[in-house]
Amino acid sequence: MTAEWQRLSPRIIWVDLVISVLALLPALVAIVVFDVEAGAGQLWPLIGLAAFGVFGALADIVRWAVTRFRVSPRHVELKTGLFVRKHRSVQRDRIRSVDIEAKLRHRVARLRVVAIGAGQQSAAGESAFSLDALGREDALELQQRLLNDAPVTVTEEDPAPAPAGEAPRRVLARFEPSWFIYNMFSIWAYVMALGVLWGGLWALSTVGVDLVGFVMSAADWEALGVPATVAIAVVAVGAFGAVGLGVNYFIENWGFELDRVPSREGTMLRTRKGLFTTREVNRDENRLRGVAITEPVLWRWMGVSDTHVITTGLDAWSFADPAAVLPRGPVARARAVAGEVLGGFGGAGGDANPMTLRLRRHPIRALRRRLVWATVVALAVLTVGVLLKSALEPVVELAWLDWTLVFGTTAGVWVLGLLLAAAGYRALGHRLTDDYLITRSGALNRTTAVLQRSAVSTIMIRESLFQRRLKLRTVAAMTAAGDGRYDAVDVDAGDSLDLARQSAPGLLEPFLEPTALAAGRRA
């Protein structure tokens, strides 16, 4: 029996019509209520916004009219395109993920966007195809049908119950409101604050409100002086941005849940989150290869960490960050959840959590290498400063470019380099277990990666000229997952071969001479 072709939900049409009307409202209000002239410069962005909304809605209506899909016992097919018709098909046994997302406009209309992935970089916009938009019940039924081949009963909370005969889902982590403090402190606070302030300044100017004049009249800035004014601006903008990031944490991660759910071929890790825009991402645990925890240096004293899975089929550089399985939070909790994840897809078993094991320290020569590089960079800054002052001083008088600035900048760069060198050395470590290669490195972002040894496809041993003099080497484990490469940096040269050989058993033996192999085993 041939499956029938289906359309997307027709509710997307009236949703787009409502969006078109809403896109026109700001310009109409500015003209009718505030008497803004149609030719005024501040009105053109509103007109552009209205045009963008109207054309976007028309494009969605055309897309609905030309899109068809069907689900047969063997394939899922999609036909789309107005001037260039496309017919895409994916075998159902190749489907690895069926993710559901809903922006606010979709949720109001009880619609969902279904992204079907077949093992490619689905988060980077390369999913097998995306169905925008289906009815909420249809989307959940399609997800369960493709992932489990089992009927499902839909309730008001969008659950994904286990098919008959399967083990129930297991919740690994839930939304923690107190974690907002870990998400408030970032350089992005200033980016967010400046963007919101610029948008607010422009919006208020369209209705005749002079925000700049109000700020200038709030204090005697000339009496305060430039340093005090700059300090107040930096603190105020940073505080505003930090509050914005805290609010964004609640909006983005509200209702967060990480759980393990059954699937057709085993289990999946599923994350669901979002207040206005909900997003559900499923990760086939048969494709997981490990877990990585990153700790940024400036917030390491707070125990801040980011947790990602090392898996195939997800883009590590995607803006949506589908590899993240926890919001930014405390490192102790991240290690515990990582242990649960590692125990779920094999390897950890009943052993200790690999994330909590003590790692092997690297030789003190690795610290010497970093200290030398910090000094070389400081000397380079000093050389540039001296040459710049010597070259410009006879030509033009620059009062700000004096020897105090040159030597002060050099000293600052040197001290910062020495601190980063110490942080980078303290981060170094590695360890091998029965199932995993554990590496840790990074001065600015200390990353601890636990990688399955069976997933290592290539081993590379690298040494620079400076490393060779210090008898150090870097052992890189390559894998078709995550970042693709995980390094044990500045390992003792005498241990590097044995580490490389044991990281991927059987991979290097055909290329080793008997004497080297015997020496590695003795080590």
Side-chain angles (χ1 to χ4, degrees), residues 9 15 81 93 161 169 181 224 229 245 357 387 417 445 461 488 518:
S9 174
V15 170
D93 58 1
R169 70 188 181 97
I181 192 67
L224 288 175
T229 301
L245 289 181
L357 296 177
L387 293 176
N445 287 292
I461 301 177

Side-chain angles (χ1 to χ4, degrees), residues 44 104 108 150 167 195 237 260 270 319 358 363 385 389 458 478 520 523:
W44 284 111
L104 182 59
V108 170
V237 173
R260 176 174 287 118
R270 183 184 66 185
F319 182 77
R358 183 181 297 274
K389 180 171 176 56
T458 305
M478 311 288 191

Side-chain angles (χ1 to χ4, degrees), residues 20-211:
S20 301
V21 174
L22 293 178
L24 294 171
L25 280 181
L28 293 176
V29 170
I31 295 173
V32 176
V33 179
F34 296 100
D35 294 328
V36 177
E37 296 181 4
Q42 59 264 40
L43 188 61
W44 284 111
L46 294 177
I47 296 175
L49 179 64
F52 180 80
V54 171
F55 284 116
L58 292 176
D60 281 346
I61 293 174
V62 171
R63 178 176 53 80
W64 173 85
V66 299
T67 300
R68 302 287 189 279
F69 74 95
R70 69 178 178 183
V71 181
S72 67
R74 292 181 177 272
H75 297 85
V76 180
E77 300 173 79
L78 175 70
K79 287 184 178 181
T80 188
L82 179 60
F83 299 108
V84 178
R85 295 290 293 174
K86 295 181 180 179
H87 184 179
R88 305 183 68 178
S89 175
V90 59
Q91 294 183 14
R92 291 182 59 174
D93 58 1
R94 298 294 301 273
I95 293 175
R96 294 296 180 265
S97 65
V98 182
D99 301 334
I100 295 179
E101 183 177 2
K103 297 180 180 179
L104 182 59
R105 66 188 180 103
H106 294 105
R107 296 183 65 187
V108 170
R110 295 176 62 84
L111 297 173
R112 297 294 185 268
V113 180
V114 180
I116 301 173
Q120 68 282 53
Q121 303 284 0
S122 59
E126 300 176 8
S127 57
F129 43 75
S130 177
L131 303 176
D132 181 7
L134 295 178
R136 171 176 166 272
E137 294 79 7
D138 295 336
L140 292 171
E141 182 180 359
L142 178 62
Q143 182 189 53
Q144 291 298 315
R145 182 180 177 187
L146 295 180
L147 292 179
N148 299 312
D149 287 323
V152 60
T153 302
V154 179
T155 68
E156 290 301 321
E157 298 299 326
D158 282 12
E166 296 282 358
R169 70 188 181 97
R170 179 183 178 188
V171 178
L172 305 182
R174 283 195 171 97
F175 177 69
E176 296 282 349
S178 60
W179 287 9
F180 82 95
I181 192 67
Y182 297 97
N183 293 266
M184 291 178 63
F185 304 102
S186 171
I187 191 62
W188 291 106
Y190 288 94
V191 177
M192 171 179 283
L194 293 175
V196 172
L197 290 174
W198 181 86
L201 178 65
W202 168 77
L204 292 174
S205 66
T206 61
V207 295
V209 177
D210 186 7
L211 183 60

